[in-house]
Amino acid sequence: MRSFGEPELEALYARLEKPLYNVLYRRVWSREEARDLVQETFVKLWRMRRRIVPDTVEPLVYKIAINLARSRLRRKRVLRWLPLEPLAAAFSDPRGAAEPELARDEERTRLREAVLALPEDLRDVVLLCEFSGMSYRQVAEALAIPEGTVGSRRNRALKRLRKDLERS
């Protein structure tokens, strides 16, 4: 097996840094912590480079990152409330508001609360599907679940988000 070297890691970092940051940011709600977790993920990946199979490295990166974020949240138990614009667009209210900026802030807050209220298994799937650019197969590998489960969890999460947002 060919080892995973520095050039491959640099190329992978250049390709995944922003989508990985997006996912981590929405798990820990802190820019600094998300940046730290991205770095920590790639350090961990570098340490295990001799065991990496290049075809499955991308899901592995997300698996490492999600596990690191979970560990950090368990230790810290503090969430910061920051925007979720890409998901907000999917659930935006088509009616206009007298004060658009205030309405957008309220909508983002409702969406954040709805996403955070999701069970962790649904939240992980929806965040990875919406922010990582990974396929269902890659999300399944990253979370160690069947590919069909990714689709069903994503659908359940989106249905639940719609329902929660309609109520509030």
Side-chain angles (χ1 to χ4, degrees):
M1 174 174 29
R2 183 175 67 84
S3 69
F4 201 76
E6 192 173 336
E8 291 88 358
L9 185 68
E10 287 175 2
L12 185 67
Y13 182 85
R15 192 173 82 246
L16 294 183
E17 187 248 344
K18 286 181 183 174
L20 185 62
Y21 172 83
N22 266 335
V23 169
L24 291 169
Y25 176 74
R26 284 156 179 87
R27 287 291 279 146
V28 297
W29 302 105
S30 164
R31 289 182 174 119
E32 295 79 24
E33 284 192 62
R35 279 192 285 270
D36 288 348
L37 286 167
V38 168
Q39 296 301 317
E40 200 174 327
T41 297
F42 279 93
V43 166
K44 191 167 186 164
L45 192 67
W46 178 252
R47 288 182 183 144
M48 59 190 297
R49 69 188 174 276
R50 288 181 180 81
R51 298 176 300 184
I52 293 174
V53 177
D55 294 342
T56 60
V57 71
E58 192 168 326
L60 176 63
V61 169
Y62 283 95
K63 183 176 188 169
I64 292 168
I66 291 290
N67 287 338
L68 289 171
R70 283 179 181 161
S71 294
R72 187 164 295 193
L73 287 174
R74 270 193 298 272
R75 283 191 311 265
K76 196 169 180 188
R77 292 288 179 217
V78 173
L79 296 176
R80 292 195 176 120
W81 302 90
L82 297 170
L84 267 174
E85 282 82 8
L87 273 180
F91 297 101
S92 63
D93 186 352
R95 297 169 287 170
E99 298 177 22
E101 188 63 35
L102 179 60
R104 276 193 300 276
D105 288 346
E106 289 173 1
E107 184 177 286
R108 288 181 192 133
T109 299
R110 287 183 18 241
L111 179 59
R112 278 183 233 118
E113 290 171 356
V115 169
L116 289 171
L118 290 172
E120 190 172 84
D121 60 337
L122 298 181
R123 189 175 347 132
D124 286 344
V125 167
V126 80
L127 289 175
L128 284 174
C129 286
E130 300 304 318
F131 297 106
S132 73
M134 292 174 25
S135 68
Y136 279 14
R137 180 186 56 77
Q138 292 171 316
V139 172
E141 289 175 24
L143 297 176
I145 59 176
E147 189 174 336
T149 302
V150 172
S152 64
R153 285 184 185 176
R154 181 180 179 270
N155 290 336
R156 276 195 352 246
L158 292 177
K159 185 183 284 186
R160 190 164 167 177
L161 287 171
R162 280 187 195 97
K163 183 179 173 184
D164 289 350
L165 293 171
E166 286 171 0
R167 272 194 305 228
S168 59

Tab-separated table of all heavy atoms in Angstrom, residues 16-70:
chain	number	residue	atom	x	y	z
A	16	LEU	N	-10.448	20.311	1.626
A	16	LEU	CA	-11.443	20.050	2.671
A	16	LEU	C	-11.485	21.072	3.799
A	16	LEU	O	-12.410	21.043	4.611
A	16	LEU	CB	-11.212	18.663	3.289
A	16	LEU	CG	-11.429	17.469	2.386
A	16	LEU	CD1	-11.229	16.188	3.171
A	16	LEU	CD2	-12.809	17.506	1.770
A	17	GLU	N	-10.513	21.955	3.868
A	17	GLU	CA	-10.437	22.861	5.017
A	17	GLU	C	-11.723	23.659	5.217
A	17	GLU	O	-12.266	23.697	6.318
A	17	GLU	CB	-9.231	23.791	4.845
A	17	GLU	CG	-8.995	24.650	6.069
A	17	GLU	CD	-9.268	26.113	5.829
A	17	GLU	OE1	-9.354	26.538	4.674
A	17	GLU	OE2	-9.397	26.830	6.834
A	18	LYS	N	-12.249	24.281	4.183
A	18	LYS	CA	-13.454	25.111	4.340
A	18	LYS	C	-14.708	24.287	4.629
A	18	LYS	O	-15.447	24.614	5.561
A	18	LYS	CB	-13.654	26.000	3.120
A	18	LYS	CG	-12.663	27.141	3.090
A	18	LYS	CD	-12.862	28.040	1.905
A	18	LYS	CE	-11.780	29.123	1.904
A	18	LYS	NZ	-11.817	29.942	0.721
A	19	PRO	N	-14.997	23.215	3.870
A	19	PRO	CA	-16.193	22.439	4.211
A	19	PRO	C	-16.097	21.787	5.593
A	19	PRO	O	-17.092	21.708	6.318
A	19	PRO	CB	-16.304	21.387	3.106
A	19	PRO	CG	-15.184	21.582	2.186
A	19	PRO	CD	-14.378	22.755	2.638
A	20	LEU	N	-14.902	21.354	5.967
A	20	LEU	CA	-14.723	20.757	7.289
A	20	LEU	C	-14.938	21.811	8.373
A	20	LEU	O	-15.612	21.555	9.378
A	20	LEU	CB	-13.323	20.142	7.399
A	20	LEU	CG	-13.015	19.388	8.676
A	20	LEU	CD1	-13.943	18.201	8.847
A	20	LEU	CD2	-11.554	18.923	8.660
A	21	TYR	N	-14.399	22.983	8.163
A	21	TYR	CA	-14.606	24.087	9.099
A	21	TYR	C	-16.101	24.382	9.251
A	21	TYR	O	-16.595	24.570	10.361
A	21	TYR	CB	-13.852	25.329	8.614
A	21	TYR	CG	-14.175	26.563	9.413
A	21	TYR	CD1	-13.523	26.827	10.615
A	21	TYR	CD2	-15.154	27.450	8.987
A	21	TYR	CE1	-13.823	27.955	11.359
A	21	TYR	CE2	-15.466	28.572	9.731
A	21	TYR	CZ	-14.803	28.824	10.912
A	21	TYR	OH	-15.120	29.939	11.652
A	22	ASN	N	-16.834	24.420	8.133
A	22	ASN	CA	-18.275	24.676	8.173
A	22	ASN	C	-19.000	23.684	9.070
A	22	ASN	O	-19.850	24.055	9.881
A	22	ASN	CB	-18.878	24.597	6.763
A	22	ASN	CG	-18.959	25.924	6.093
A	22	ASN	OD1	-19.010	26.951	6.740
A	22	ASN	ND2	-18.976	25.898	4.783
A	23	VAL	N	-18.690	22.419	8.913
A	23	VAL	CA	-19.335	21.380	9.721
A	23	VAL	C	-18.958	21.541	11.192
A	23	VAL	O	-19.821	21.526	12.082
A	23	VAL	CB	-18.964	19.970	9.208
A	23	VAL	CG1	-19.408	18.896	10.189
A	23	VAL	CG2	-19.590	19.734	7.832
A	24	LEU	N	-17.682	21.716	11.449
A	24	LEU	CA	-17.219	21.830	12.833
A	24	LEU	C	-17.744	23.093	13.511
A	24	LEU	O	-18.099	23.070	14.688
A	24	LEU	CB	-15.691	21.782	12.877
A	24	LEU	CG	-15.099	20.425	12.525
A	24	LEU	CD1	-13.593	20.528	12.332
A	24	LEU	CD2	-15.452	19.390	13.579
A	25	TYR	N	-17.790	24.156	12.777
A	25	TYR	CA	-18.303	25.426	13.308
A	25	TYR	C	-19.728	25.255	13.814
A	25	TYR	O	-20.103	25.761	14.858
A	25	TYR	CB	-18.215	26.461	12.190
A	25	TYR	CG	-18.780	27.818	12.499
A	25	TYR	CD1	-18.105	28.689	13.345
A	25	TYR	CD2	-19.962	28.248	11.916
A	25	TYR	CE1	-18.598	29.955	13.601
A	25	TYR	CE2	-20.458	29.513	12.168
A	25	TYR	CZ	-19.783	30.355	13.013
A	25	TYR	OH	-20.280	31.602	13.259
A	26	ARG	N	-20.518	24.489	13.076
A	26	ARG	CA	-21.909	24.284	13.449
A	26	ARG	C	-22.088	23.203	14.506
A	26	ARG	O	-23.179	22.968	14.980
A	26	ARG	CB	-22.725	24.009	12.203
A	26	ARG	CG	-22.956	25.307	11.464
A	26	ARG	CD	-23.224	25.143	10.000
A	26	ARG	NE	-23.460	26.441	9.382
A	26	ARG	CZ	-22.514	27.231	8.914
A	26	ARG	NH1	-21.264	26.885	9.014
A	26	ARG	NH2	-22.793	28.383	8.354
A	27	ARG	N	-21.011	22.552	14.878
A	27	ARG	CA	-21.045	21.604	15.989
A	27	ARG	C	-20.609	22.286	17.283
A	27	ARG	O	-21.166	22.030	18.333
A	27	ARG	CB	-20.119	20.409	15.724
A	27	ARG	CG	-20.606	19.448	14.703
A	27	ARG	CD	-21.801	18.669	15.159
A	27	ARG	NE	-21.392	17.568	16.011
A	27	ARG	CZ	-22.133	17.139	17.027
A	27	ARG	NH1	-23.263	17.688	17.314
A	27	ARG	NH2	-21.728	16.147	17.754
A	28	VAL	N	-19.588	23.155	17.210
A	28	VAL	CA	-19.042	23.753	18.428
A	28	VAL	C	-19.415	25.217	18.599
A	28	VAL	O	-19.216	25.780	19.670
A	28	VAL	CB	-17.506	23.598	18.504
A	28	VAL	CG1	-17.112	22.138	18.563
A	28	VAL	CG2	-16.813	24.294	17.357
A	29	TRP	N	-19.927	25.879	17.541
A	29	TRP	CA	-20.387	27.260	17.568
A	29	TRP	C	-19.320	28.247	18.031
A	29	TRP	O	-19.607	29.219	18.704
A	29	TRP	CB	-21.653	27.390	18.414
A	29	TRP	CG	-22.730	26.519	17.890
A	29	TRP	CD1	-23.156	25.345	18.430
A	29	TRP	CD2	-23.514	26.721	16.708
A	29	TRP	NE1	-24.141	24.797	17.643
A	29	TRP	CE2	-24.385	25.630	16.581
A	29	TRP	CE3	-23.546	27.713	15.736
A	29	TRP	CZ2	-25.286	25.513	15.540
A	29	TRP	CZ3	-24.452	27.588	14.699
A	29	TRP	CH2	-25.305	26.499	14.615
A	30	SER	N	-18.097	27.970	17.643
A	30	SER	CA	-17.000	28.865	17.969
A	30	SER	C	-16.003	28.824	16.824
A	30	SER	O	-15.514	27.750	16.451
A	30	SER	CB	-16.323	28.420	19.269
A	30	SER	OG	-15.066	29.039	19.400
A	31	ARG	N	-15.683	29.996	16.289
A	31	ARG	CA	-14.733	30.056	15.168
A	31	ARG	C	-13.361	29.518	15.567
A	31	ARG	O	-12.747	28.759	14.822
A	31	ARG	CB	-14.612	31.493	14.669
A	31	ARG	CG	-15.844	31.964	13.955
A	31	ARG	CD	-15.658	33.385	13.425
A	31	ARG	NE	-16.817	33.728	12.624
A	31	ARG	CZ	-17.641	34.721	12.893
A	31	ARG	NH1	-17.415	35.503	13.925
A	31	ARG	NH2	-18.683	34.955	12.127
A	32	GLU	N	-12.891	29.939	16.724
A	32	GLU	CA	-11.565	29.522	17.167
A	32	GLU	C	-11.506	28.014	17.389
A	32	GLU	O	-10.547	27.361	16.985
A	32	GLU	CB	-11.171	30.256	18.465
A	32	GLU	CG	-11.015	31.752	18.306
A	32	GLU	CD	-12.356	32.509	18.289
A	32	GLU	OE1	-13.361	31.999	18.826
A	32	GLU	OE2	-12.390	33.595	17.697
A	33	GLU	N	-12.528	27.486	18.051
A	33	GLU	CA	-12.538	26.044	18.298
A	33	GLU	C	-12.660	25.255	17.001
A	33	GLU	O	-12.021	24.204	16.854
A	33	GLU	CB	-13.669	25.665	19.250
A	33	GLU	CG	-13.352	26.011	20.671
A	33	GLU	CD	-14.334	25.390	21.626
A	33	GLU	OE1	-14.405	24.156	21.679
A	33	GLU	OE2	-15.028	26.162	22.305
A	34	ALA	N	-13.458	25.744	16.070
A	34	ALA	CA	-13.590	25.058	14.779
A	34	ALA	C	-12.249	25.037	14.058
A	34	ALA	O	-11.852	24.008	13.500
A	34	ALA	CB	-14.673	25.724	13.924
A	35	ARG	N	-11.539	26.171	14.070
A	35	ARG	CA	-10.207	26.210	13.443
A	35	ARG	C	-9.250	25.232	14.139
A	35	ARG	O	-8.497	24.513	13.492
A	35	ARG	CB	-9.637	27.625	13.481
A	35	ARG	CG	-10.178	28.525	12.382
A	35	ARG	CD	-9.392	29.818	12.275
A	35	ARG	NE	-9.682	30.753	13.338
A	35	ARG	CZ	-10.637	31.687	13.284
A	35	ARG	NH1	-11.371	31.808	12.211
A	35	ARG	NH2	-10.845	32.496	14.289
A	36	ASP	N	-9.289	25.231	15.472
A	36	ASP	CA	-8.445	24.300	16.228
A	36	ASP	C	-8.770	22.850	15.874
A	36	ASP	O	-7.867	22.025	15.709
A	36	ASP	CB	-8.633	24.486	17.734
A	36	ASP	CG	-8.027	25.766	18.269
A	36	ASP	OD1	-7.256	26.423	17.522
A	36	ASP	OD2	-8.338	26.123	19.426
A	37	LEU	N	-10.046	22.548	15.767
A	37	LEU	CA	-10.456	21.179	15.451
A	37	LEU	C	-10.043	20.766	14.046
A	37	LEU	O	-9.670	19.607	13.822
A	37	LEU	CB	-11.965	21.007	15.645
A	37	LEU	CG	-12.430	20.958	17.091
A	37	LEU	CD1	-13.941	21.117	17.181
A	37	LEU	CD2	-11.974	19.671	17.767
A	38	VAL	N	-10.083	21.691	13.099
A	38	VAL	CA	-9.604	21.387	11.747
A	38	VAL	C	-8.131	21.016	11.821
A	38	VAL	O	-7.696	20.000	11.259
A	38	VAL	CB	-9.835	22.572	10.780
A	38	VAL	CG1	-9.073	22.364	9.469
A	38	VAL	CG2	-11.318	22.758	10.492
A	39	GLN	N	-7.348	21.839	12.523
A	39	GLN	CA	-5.916	21.569	12.649
A	39	GLN	C	-5.670	20.238	13.368
A	39	GLN	O	-4.839	19.434	12.932
A	39	GLN	CB	-5.223	22.707	13.409
A	39	GLN	CG	-5.272	24.040	12.710
A	39	GLN	CD	-4.622	24.013	11.339
A	39	GLN	OE1	-3.560	23.439	11.167
A	39	GLN	NE2	-5.261	24.624	10.371
A	40	GLU	N	-6.384	20.021	14.448
A	40	GLU	CA	-6.232	18.794	15.223
A	40	GLU	C	-6.575	17.566	14.379
A	40	GLU	O	-5.921	16.525	14.478
A	40	GLU	CB	-7.146	18.878	16.451
A	40	GLU	CG	-6.786	17.958	17.566
A	40	GLU	CD	-7.641	18.210	18.803
A	40	GLU	OE1	-8.027	19.370	19.065
A	40	GLU	OE2	-7.932	17.221	19.498
A	41	THR	N	-7.589	17.699	13.540
A	41	THR	CA	-7.992	16.601	12.649
A	41	THR	C	-6.847	16.232	11.711
A	41	THR	O	-6.518	15.055	11.549
A	41	THR	CB	-9.240	16.998	11.836
A	41	THR	OG1	-10.325	17.228	12.740
A	41	THR	CG2	-9.620	15.916	10.836
A	42	PHE	N	-6.235	17.249	11.102
A	42	PHE	CA	-5.165	16.967	10.148
A	42	PHE	C	-3.881	16.502	10.828
A	42	PHE	O	-3.125	15.715	10.246
A	42	PHE	CB	-4.947	18.154	9.208
A	42	PHE	CG	-5.953	18.163	8.101
A	42	PHE	CD1	-7.134	18.876	8.225
A	42	PHE	CD2	-5.750	17.423	6.951
A	42	PHE	CE1	-8.083	18.854	7.217
A	42	PHE	CE2	-6.687	17.392	5.940
A	42	PHE	CZ	-7.861	18.108	6.067
A	43	VAL	N	-3.636	16.929	12.053
A	43	VAL	CA	-2.489	16.416	12.804
A	43	VAL	C	-2.703	14.930	13.082
A	43	VAL	O	-1.804	14.100	12.883
A	43	VAL	CB	-2.273	17.211	14.117
A	43	VAL	CG1	-1.321	16.485	15.054
A	43	VAL	CG2	-1.781	18.609	13.801
A	44	LYS	N	-3.907	14.590	13.504
A	44	LYS	CA	-4.224	13.191	13.785
A	44	LYS	C	-4.115	12.356	12.504
A	44	LYS	O	-3.594	11.243	12.518
A	44	LYS	CB	-5.623	13.090	14.388
A	44	LYS	CG	-5.941	11.739	14.936
A	44	LYS	CD	-7.178	11.772	15.791
A	44	LYS	CE	-7.353	10.413	16.432
A	44	LYS	NZ	-8.280	10.443	17.528
A	45	LEU	N	-4.609	12.910	11.404
A	45	LEU	CA	-4.520	12.230	10.116
A	45	LEU	C	-3.050	12.006	9.732
A	45	LEU	O	-2.680	10.931	9.247
A	45	LEU	CB	-5.239	13.047	9.044
A	45	LEU	CG	-5.483	12.367	7.717
A	45	LEU	CD1	-6.484	11.229	7.876
A	45	LEU	CD2	-5.994	13.374	6.709
A	46	TRP	N	-2.202	13.004	9.941
A	46	TRP	CA	-0.788	12.886	9.615
A	46	TRP	C	-0.138	11.767	10.423
A	46	TRP	O	0.653	10.986	9.901
A	46	TRP	CB	-0.074	14.215	9.854
A	46	TRP	CG	1.394	14.131	9.584
A	46	TRP	CD1	2.403	14.143	10.500
A	46	TRP	CD2	2.030	13.996	8.309
A	46	TRP	NE1	3.625	14.040	9.879
A	46	TRP	CE2	3.417	13.944	8.517
A	46	TRP	CE3	1.552	13.918	7.006
A	46	TRP	CZ2	4.330	13.817	7.492
A	46	TRP	CZ3	2.467	13.800	5.970
A	46	TRP	CH2	3.834	13.744	6.220
A	47	ARG	N	-0.506	11.684	11.688
A	47	ARG	CA	0.080	10.659	12.551
A	47	ARG	C	-0.291	9.246	12.105
A	47	ARG	O	0.449	8.304	12.364
A	47	ARG	CB	-0.344	10.886	13.999
A	47	ARG	CG	0.332	12.080	14.606
A	47	ARG	CD	-0.048	12.257	16.052
A	47	ARG	NE	0.572	13.455	16.578
A	47	ARG	CZ	0.009	14.273	17.452
A	47	ARG	NH1	-1.197	14.008	17.912
A	47	ARG	NH2	0.635	15.347	17.855
A	48	MET	N	-1.434	9.118	11.457
A	48	MET	CA	-1.856	7.786	11.018
A	48	MET	C	-1.672	7.594	9.506
A	48	MET	O	-2.219	6.672	8.917
A	48	MET	CB	-3.311	7.534	11.440
A	48	MET	CG	-4.303	8.517	10.882
A	48	MET	SD	-5.970	8.388	11.589
A	48	MET	CE	-6.469	6.789	11.100
A	49	ARG	N	-0.860	8.414	8.882
A	49	ARG	CA	-0.718	8.441	7.417
A	49	ARG	C	-0.306	7.110	6.809
A	49	ARG	O	-0.644	6.819	5.681
A	49	ARG	CB	0.250	9.548	7.006
A	49	ARG	CG	1.691	9.320	7.373
A	49	ARG	CD	2.548	10.551	7.093
A	49	ARG	NE	3.910	10.416	7.558
A	49	ARG	CZ	4.316	10.649	8.794
A	49	ARG	NH1	3.438	11.035	9.706
A	49	ARG	NH2	5.580	10.499	9.128
A	50	ARG	N	0.433	6.302	7.510
A	50	ARG	CA	0.891	5.017	6.950
A	50	ARG	C	-0.242	4.000	6.840
A	50	ARG	O	-0.118	3.027	6.109
A	50	ARG	CB	2.036	4.464	7.775
A	50	ARG	CG	3.319	5.249	7.571
A	50	ARG	CD	4.482	4.709	8.374
A	50	ARG	NE	5.685	5.481	8.167
A	50	ARG	CZ	5.964	6.626	8.765
A	50	ARG	NH1	5.108	7.153	9.605
A	50	ARG	NH2	7.091	7.268	8.519
A	51	ARG	N	-1.332	4.236	7.543
A	51	ARG	CA	-2.461	3.300	7.515
A	51	ARG	C	-3.615	3.795	6.649
A	51	ARG	O	-4.631	3.138	6.552
A	51	ARG	CB	-2.980	3.077	8.936
A	51	ARG	CG	-1.933	2.450	9.835
A	51	ARG	CD	-2.457	2.349	11.232
A	51	ARG	NE	-2.764	3.713	11.678
A	51	ARG	CZ	-3.182	4.046	12.888
A	51	ARG	NH1	-3.389	3.129	13.772
A	51	ARG	NH2	-3.426	5.297	13.209
A	52	ILE	N	-3.474	4.944	6.025
A	52	ILE	CA	-4.564	5.559	5.266
A	52	ILE	C	-4.718	4.904	3.904
A	52	ILE	O	-3.743	4.701	3.188
A	52	ILE	CB	-4.327	7.070	5.095
A	52	ILE	CG1	-4.429	7.761	6.449
A	52	ILE	CG2	-5.311	7.678	4.113
A	52	ILE	CD1	-4.066	9.230	6.414
A	53	VAL	N	-5.966	4.616	3.563
A	53	VAL	CA	-6.306	4.154	2.221
A	53	VAL	C	-6.814	5.394	1.479
A	53	VAL	O	-7.833	5.969	1.854
A	53	VAL	CB	-7.410	3.066	2.271
A	53	VAL	CG1	-7.814	2.652	0.872
A	53	VAL	CG2	-6.946	1.886	3.103
A	54	PRO	N	-6.099	5.834	0.450
A	54	PRO	CA	-6.455	7.092	-0.227
A	54	PRO	C	-7.917	7.176	-0.696
A	54	PRO	O	-8.505	8.240	-0.651
A	54	PRO	CB	-5.483	7.149	-1.407
A	54	PRO	CG	-4.284	6.397	-0.931
A	54	PRO	CD	-4.844	5.275	-0.098
A	55	ASP	N	-8.502	6.054	-1.099
A	55	ASP	CA	-9.885	6.075	-1.581
A	55	ASP	C	-10.900	6.394	-0.490
A	55	ASP	O	-12.008	6.834	-0.780
A	55	ASP	CB	-10.250	4.738	-2.224
A	55	ASP	CG	-9.447	4.474	-3.490
A	55	ASP	OD1	-8.873	5.438	-4.046
A	55	ASP	OD2	-9.397	3.305	-3.908
A	56	THR	N	-10.552	6.166	0.756
A	56	THR	CA	-11.503	6.390	1.848
A	56	THR	C	-11.041	7.479	2.809
A	56	THR	O	-11.564	7.592	3.915
A	56	THR	CB	-11.732	5.079	2.646
A	56	THR	OG1	-10.483	4.652	3.197
A	56	THR	CG2	-12.322	3.990	1.768
A	57	VAL	N	-10.093	8.281	2.389
A	57	VAL	CA	-9.535	9.276	3.302
A	57	VAL	C	-10.525	10.390	3.622
A	57	VAL	O	-10.578	10.875	4.757
A	57	VAL	CB	-8.197	9.844	2.772
A	57	VAL	CG1	-8.395	10.732	1.565
A	57	VAL	CG2	-7.470	10.590	3.881
A	58	GLU	N	-11.326	10.829	2.662
A	58	GLU	CA	-12.231	11.951	2.922
A	58	GLU	C	-13.260	11.626	4.015
A	58	GLU	O	-13.393	12.399	4.973
A	58	GLU	CB	-12.923	12.379	1.628
A	58	GLU	CG	-13.636	13.698	1.777
A	58	GLU	CD	-14.073	14.283	0.451
A	58	GLU	OE1	-13.351	14.098	-0.551
A	58	GLU	OE2	-15.127	14.921	0.442
A	59	PRO	N	-13.968	10.501	3.939
A	59	PRO	CA	-14.867	10.170	5.058
A	59	PRO	C	-14.124	10.019	6.383
A	59	PRO	O	-14.647	10.367	7.436
A	59	PRO	CB	-15.516	8.854	4.626
A	59	PRO	CG	-15.416	8.857	3.144
A	59	PRO	CD	-14.130	9.570	2.831
A	60	LEU	N	-12.891	9.508	6.312
A	60	LEU	CA	-12.085	9.366	7.525
A	60	LEU	C	-11.822	10.726	8.166
A	60	LEU	O	-11.897	10.875	9.385
A	60	LEU	CB	-10.764	8.656	7.202
A	60	LEU	CG	-9.771	8.527	8.353
A	60	LEU	CD1	-10.349	7.667	9.476
A	60	LEU	CD2	-8.452	7.941	7.844
A	61	VAL	N	-11.530	11.726	7.350
A	61	VAL	CA	-11.283	13.077	7.861
A	61	VAL	C	-12.502	13.564	8.642
A	61	VAL	O	-12.383	14.078	9.756
A	61	VAL	CB	-10.945	14.057	6.712
A	61	VAL	CG1	-10.963	15.502	7.191
A	61	VAL	CG2	-9.596	13.717	6.111
A	62	TYR	N	-13.693	13.409	8.065
A	62	TYR	CA	-14.911	13.858	8.740
A	62	TYR	C	-15.200	13.036	9.990
A	62	TYR	O	-15.665	13.561	10.999
A	62	TYR	CB	-16.096	13.846	7.778
A	62	TYR	CG	-16.066	15.029	6.841
A	62	TYR	CD1	-15.512	14.932	5.570
A	62	TYR	CD2	-16.562	16.264	7.239
A	62	TYR	CE1	-15.466	16.029	4.724
A	62	TYR	CE2	-16.520	17.359	6.398
A	62	TYR	CZ	-15.969	17.234	5.138
A	62	TYR	OH	-15.926	18.319	4.308
A	63	LYS	N	-14.919	11.759	9.940
A	63	LYS	CA	-15.131	10.910	11.119
A	63	LYS	C	-14.241	11.372	12.266
A	63	LYS	O	-14.687	11.519	13.402
A	63	LYS	CB	-14.837	9.454	10.768
A	63	LYS	CG	-15.088	8.497	11.894
A	63	LYS	CD	-14.864	7.069	11.442
A	63	LYS	CE	-15.306	6.104	12.506
A	63	LYS	NZ	-15.347	4.736	12.016
A	64	ILE	N	-12.974	11.617	11.969
A	64	ILE	CA	-12.035	12.106	12.990
A	64	ILE	C	-12.533	13.439	13.547
A	64	ILE	O	-12.586	13.647	14.762
A	64	ILE	CB	-10.613	12.266	12.405
A	64	ILE	CG1	-10.014	10.902	12.076
A	64	ILE	CG2	-9.710	13.039	13.363
A	64	ILE	CD1	-8.731	10.976	11.239
A	65	ALA	N	-12.912	14.352	12.653
A	65	ALA	CA	-13.338	15.690	13.070
A	65	ALA	C	-14.587	15.644	13.941
A	65	ALA	O	-14.660	16.312	14.982
A	65	ALA	CB	-13.578	16.565	11.842
A	66	ILE	N	-15.585	14.867	13.527
A	66	ILE	CA	-16.835	14.756	14.309
A	66	ILE	C	-16.535	14.170	15.686
A	66	ILE	O	-17.050	14.646	16.703
A	66	ILE	CB	-17.877	13.905	13.560
A	66	ILE	CG1	-18.380	14.652	12.325
A	66	ILE	CG2	-19.029	13.492	14.462
A	66	ILE	CD1	-19.252	15.848	12.617
A	67	ASN	N	-15.697	13.147	15.739
A	67	ASN	CA	-15.352	12.552	17.034
A	67	ASN	C	-14.600	13.525	17.933
A	67	ASN	O	-14.852	13.591	19.138
A	67	ASN	CB	-14.557	11.264	16.832
A	67	ASN	CG	-15.421	10.128	16.338
A	67	ASN	OD1	-16.641	10.126	16.515
A	67	ASN	ND2	-14.802	9.167	15.679
A	68	LEU	N	-13.693	14.294	17.345
A	68	LEU	CA	-12.984	15.308	18.137
A	68	LEU	C	-13.947	16.374	18.658
A	68	LEU	O	-13.848	16.801	19.815
A	68	LEU	CB	-11.878	15.964	17.304
A	68	LEU	CG	-10.660	15.103	16.989
A	68	LEU	CD1	-9.755	15.806	15.977
A	68	LEU	CD2	-9.885	14.762	18.255
A	69	ALA	N	-14.873	16.801	17.809
A	69	ALA	CA	-15.855	17.812	18.231
A	69	ALA	C	-16.747	17.272	19.344
A	69	ALA	O	-17.038	17.974	20.319
A	69	ALA	CB	-16.700	18.256	17.038
A	70	ARG	N	-17.196	16.033	19.204
A	70	ARG	CA	-18.031	15.423	20.255
A	70	ARG	C	-17.280	15.391	21.588
A	70	ARG	O	-17.843	15.727	22.636
A	70	ARG	CB	-18.431	14.011	19.862
A	70	ARG	CG	-19.524	13.940	18.851
A	70	ARG	CD	-19.830	12.505	18.512
A	70	ARG	NE	-20.873	12.423	17.517
A	70	ARG	CZ	-21.101	11.356	16.781
A	70	ARG	NH1	-20.367	10.270	16.933
A	70	ARG	NH2	-22.080	11.351	15.905
